[in-house]
Amino acid sequence: MTMLPILSKTCFGFLAFTGANAAPLMGSPVEFPSRYHTSVRSLSETIMQARPPADASLDWTVTDQDESRWLLKVDLKFTDEEMKELKLQVARVEKHFRRIRGMAGDSNLKAFVPAQGIDHVDIFRLTAYASYYNIFYLNSKVISKLYWAVKQLFHQYADVYQFNLNQTYFMHGWFNCFRGGGKISPHRHCNGLSGNMAVHVPPGSFTRYGSLSSSKEYRWMLALQQQCQQGKETSCERFTQLWRYADDLPEPLEEQESSRVMPNMDGELVIFHGLVEHESSNVSEDMRQHLKRKGPTDCRMTLAFDIDTNPSDLHHSVPLYDPEDPWWDSSSLGHDIGSAIEGLLDDAELPAAFDWAVMPDKRAFAERIQLAKVHEGSGKLSSWLKEQLAAGWADFRSGRCQKAACDSREAYTTF
């Protein structure tokens, strides 16, 4: 396989082509990742401007709590105008990716989202593009408000379930847009936390959740916990990476329901353990017609997010929580980490997934994504991130990695 060329940073980035075969620009490298398949960014000025006042109430009214799924559900009570803007953002992002003819969706994600539409002929599924962007990069007031809503619920969740707040957490978010016949089949996300929000859903819409104890990883984690309790140090290290709660991982209860259906209503936000398997309801043709009458487009709109400690597991992320700066008196952490990551990948000459001079075809794009994943630069990034996680991002706290240093090539080789 021939290595595809790495083009200079003077290119506009994947989402801003020039030339006869250019895709219409909607959005910009400011809102979307411009080079690599992994990125971290600081909180945008729009997000920081939306920061709640210091005396604001931090707790949402919980409308559902399910301890077998380590789940909380709240109603954000966004205004009609805010919900309208959120729907328009989903429609905008879907239109954006539909226009990029040379971008192939993530094959791993495609497996969970069948073709949709009448006779299942629409092969485009927005969910398959989730790993290529982050909704919290978008320049949007309602997305900025959503960031703080999720952050507030994260703090509340940590208090309810005694979730570990001695680590730095990052967040990746994406949109889903399903039409007639469209849904996402049973799946799970990560070792951290996951969540979703109903944005534009029809009557009868629901999400079905399994229990945590029915997940494929549960018995394995339980065995690690038992080995740790017997004094096996390596098992303790691995278990604490997977289980971030003060309470022990409980033994499964035989009488516990294996799955639960939770109806969706616009504006409801759910957060739960990332290994809980879940699936969405199918969108019938009648539902699609209802959505078409009531919204900017005819799809069942939701958004989803993952919260975890390792940025590379989240593709494109922003900081959500830091134990030394819980409510972001400074917003530089994401910039500093992201600059260091980009510098490391520059030095490793990693194939740049989103940096092209002209529109590629889907095969060339998919090949470059695969080349990036198996490239030695990805291995170097993984090793570097493990070191930083073990050290609690000490280089970024000590002043060793200030903004000016992180912008220089010399700084990357010292980490």
Side-chain angles (χ1 to χ4, degrees):
M1 185 178 295
T2 302
M3 179 71 73
L4 293 166
I6 303 169
L7 303 170
S8 84
K9 285 187 177 180
T10 58
C11 294
F12 281 67
F14 187 85
L15 301 175
F17 297 101
T18 58
N21 296 322
L25 175 63
M26 186 175 69
S28 73
V30 173
E31 292 191 294
F32 295 90
S34 59
R35 285 184 60 74
Y36 297 117
H37 66 292
T38 299
S39 68
V40 177
R41 291 194 179 174
S42 62
L43 303 181
S44 68
E45 183 178 348
T46 308
I47 288 179
M48 291 305 293
Q49 289 174 348
R51 181 180 176 180
D55 58 353
S57 173
L58 299 181
D59 284 349
W60 296 103
T61 300
V62 174
T63 58
D64 204 329
Q65 179 174 343
D66 189 329
E67 295 186 359
S68 68
R69 291 158 182 83
W70 301 77
L71 176 152
L72 288 182
K73 182 178 184 179
V74 301
D75 184 352
L76 295 186
K77 298 188 182 302
F78 277 13
T79 66
D80 290 344
E81 284 301 309
E82 288 168 337
M83 290 303 299
K84 181 180 178 181
E85 183 187 341
L86 196 52
K87 294 171 187 178
L88 290 173
Q89 288 293 328
V90 180
R92 178 172 81 96
V93 170
E94 191 204 27
K95 187 176 182 181
H96 180 86
F97 282 106
R98 277 187 181 273
R99 285 181 170 181
I100 304 176
R101 299 183 306 279
M103 178 180 276
D106 187 314
S107 58
N108 292 326
L109 296 175
K110 281 183 179 179
F112 295 98
V113 283
Q116 56 190 8
I118 299 174
D119 297 327
H120 305 278
V121 296
D122 185 2
I123 63 172
F124 177 89
R125 291 90 100 192
L126 181 59
T127 303
Y129 294 77
S131 60
Y132 300 159
Y133 71 107
N134 186 346
I135 63 174
F136 297 104
Y137 289 6
L138 301 178
N139 183 24
S140 161
K141 288 184 178 180
V142 72
I143 294 293
S144 299
K145 182 175 180 178
L146 174 68
Y147 172 87
W148 292 103
V150 173
K151 181 168 175 59
Q152 288 172 326
L153 183 58
F154 171 78
H155 285 254
Q156 190 171 347
Y157 180 96
D159 183 60
V160 170
Y161 287 115
Q162 295 300 289
F163 189 73
N164 183 1
L165 289 182
N166 294 319
Q167 296 176 284
T168 302
Y169 291 93
F170 302 84
M171 179 165 62
H172 168 229
W174 64 95
F175 292 136
N176 303 299
C177 189
F178 294 116
R179 291 178 172 79
K183 61 170 290 183
I184 186 162
S185 60
H187 65 288
R188 57 202 185 284
H189 292 200
C190 64
N191 292 321
L193 302 178
S194 296
N196 57 63
M197 177 182 176
V199 178
H200 180 47
V201 297
S205 175
F206 65 83
T207 303
R208 179 181 286 107
Y209 296 90
S211 63
L212 180 59
S213 60
S214 64
S215 72
K216 295 179 179 179
E217 291 82 4
Y218 192 84
R219 294 289 179 182
W220 173 54
M221 290 195 297
L222 200 59
L224 285 174
Q225 177 176 261
Q226 292 166 350
Q227 293 166 7
C228 177
Q229 291 168 344
Q230 294 166 4
K232 190 173 181 180
E233 187 175 340
T234 55
S235 295
C236 290
E237 292 175 0
R238 185 63 179 135
F239 179 70
T240 54
Q241 292 172 354
L242 298 171
W243 185 249
R244 300 176 183 140
Y245 300 84
D247 292 340
D248 287 346
L249 183 66
E251 293 280 351
L253 302 175
E254 291 186 6
E255 67 274 13
Q256 184 172 277
E257 58 182 344
S258 58
S259 67
R260 179 186 173 192
V261 170
M262 297 183 68
N264 308 133
M265 296 288 289
D266 289 0
E268 289 181 333
L269 180 68
V270 182
I271 187 170
F272 53 94
H273 193 288
L275 292 179
V276 170
E277 195 167 76
H278 54 289
E279 66 175 323
S280 70
S281 55
N282 185 46
V283 179
S284 68
E285 181 59 21
D286 287 344
M287 288 177 173
R288 188 185 72 82
Q289 292 295 337
H290 171 86
L291 293 166
K292 184 177 180 180
R293 291 193 301 271
K294 299 292 184 177
T297 188
D298 60 344
C299 69
R300 174 187 181 269
M301 297 178 176
T302 62
L303 62 85
F305 55 88
D306 285 336
I307 298 168
D308 213 337
T309 56
N310 191 330
S312 68
D313 293 337
L314 298 173
H315 309 292
H316 305 284
S317 62
V318 294
L320 180 69
Y321 173 84
D322 183 68
E324 296 192 17
D325 190 7
W327 289 99
W328 302 132
D329 291 327
S330 169
S331 61
S332 66
L333 182 65
H335 172 274
D336 293 347
I337 294 174
S339 295
I341 288 174
E342 184 163 351
L344 186 154
L345 297 179
D346 281 346
D347 286 343
E349 297 187 346
L350 186 86
F354 306 120
D355 193 357
W356 299 76
V358 296
M359 176 74 74
D361 59 33
K362 292 181 184 294
R363 180 176 179 179
F365 175 78
E367 286 181 350
R368 189 179 288 190
I369 285 282
Q370 183 59 28
L371 284 172
K373 289 179 179 178
V374 301
H375 191 272
E376 65 176 358
S378 291
K380 290 180 179 179
L381 175 62
S382 178
S383 298
W384 180 81
L385 285 170
K386 286 180 181 178
E387 293 173 2
Q388 293 299 324
L389 289 168
W393 300 102
D395 286 335
F396 297 86
R397 304 187 191 288
S398 64
R400 184 180 178 187
C401 185
Q402 297 296 338
K403 180 177 179 181
C406 279
D407 282 342
S408 69
R409 180 57 56 89
E410 291 76 14
Y412 303 131
T413 59
T414 63
F415 295 144

